[in-house]
């Protein structure tokens, strides 16, 4: 069993789509004709994020964040996020070689990127 997809409801679908495409490199692909606006965003030929137009009362849903990884070299990912103007926090995951980036997007969306640091065994 594996994670199939994440469904995100957003008021501004364009901002959500552009944020996720810029941050994660997902691409817009085929989506069933649900009759409600949204996108299916693909990574490695799988629709891993489904967006849907949020029509209810404003406010965050029950999801705190969505995590993706591995995302490669943490220094490179930090630089990319800074160049793209994303707000983020960074932490080392205790007892691991993982650097976590919590990147903030439209409407309070929070994406965690897990990047593996190179371990210098010569020390």
């Amino acid at each position: 069993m594996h994670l199939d997809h994440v469904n995100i409801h957003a008021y501004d679908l364009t901002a959500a789509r552009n944020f996720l495409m810029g941050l994660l490199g997902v691409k817009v692909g085929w989506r069933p004709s649900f009759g409600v606006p949204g996108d299916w965003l693909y990574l490695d030929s799988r629709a891993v994020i489904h967006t849907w137009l949020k029509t209810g009362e404003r406010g965050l849903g029950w999801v705190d964040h969505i995590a993706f990884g591995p995302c490669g070299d943490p220094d490179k990912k930090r630089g990319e996020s800074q160049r793209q103007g994303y707000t983020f926090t960074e932490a080392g995951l205790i007892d691991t070689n993982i650097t976590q980036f919590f990147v903030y997007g439209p409407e309070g969306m929070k994406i965690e990127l897990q990047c593996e640091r190179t371990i210098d065994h010569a020390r």
Side-chain angles (χ1 to χ4, degrees):
M1 188 172 302
H2 64 275
L3 176 65
D4 184 74
H5 71 275
V6 174
N7 187 288
I8 297 172
H9 290 212
Y11 292 107
D12 188 339
L13 291 171
T14 301
R17 179 184 62 234
N18 292 344
F19 171 69
L20 294 165
M21 289 174 66
L23 180 65
L24 303 173
V26 293
K27 307 284 185 210
V28 175
W30 177 84
R31 178 181 184 259
S33 53
F34 290 117
V36 175
D39 293 297
W40 275 16
L41 304 174
Y42 286 72
L43 185 65
D44 299 328
S45 74
R46 290 188 53 235
V48 295
I49 302 173
H50 301 176
T51 65
W52 192 274
L53 182 63
K54 188 171 185 176
T55 57
E57 182 179 320
R58 283 204 177 265
L60 298 177
W62 60 269
V63 175
D64 178 70
H65 69 275
I66 304 161
F68 292 89
C71 70
D73 177 63
D75 293 331
K76 183 177 178 185
K77 186 53 68 178
R78 181 184 306 104
E80 288 172 2
S81 295
Q82 289 170 335
R83 279 190 300 283
Q84 292 176 317
Y86 298 138
T87 300
F88 64 92
T89 60
E90 176 180 342
L93 183 59
I94 193 165
D95 297 330
T96 75
N97 67 331
I98 302 293
T99 297
Q100 299 169 298
F101 294 95
F102 293 94
V103 186
Y104 300 89
E107 300 179 39
M109 191 182 309
K110 181 169 56 171
I111 303 291
E112 176 186 340
L113 301 175
Q114 297 185 351
C115 302
E116 294 185 31
R117 298 183 302 275
T118 303
I119 298 175
D120 184 0
H121 294 287
R123 291 181 180 191

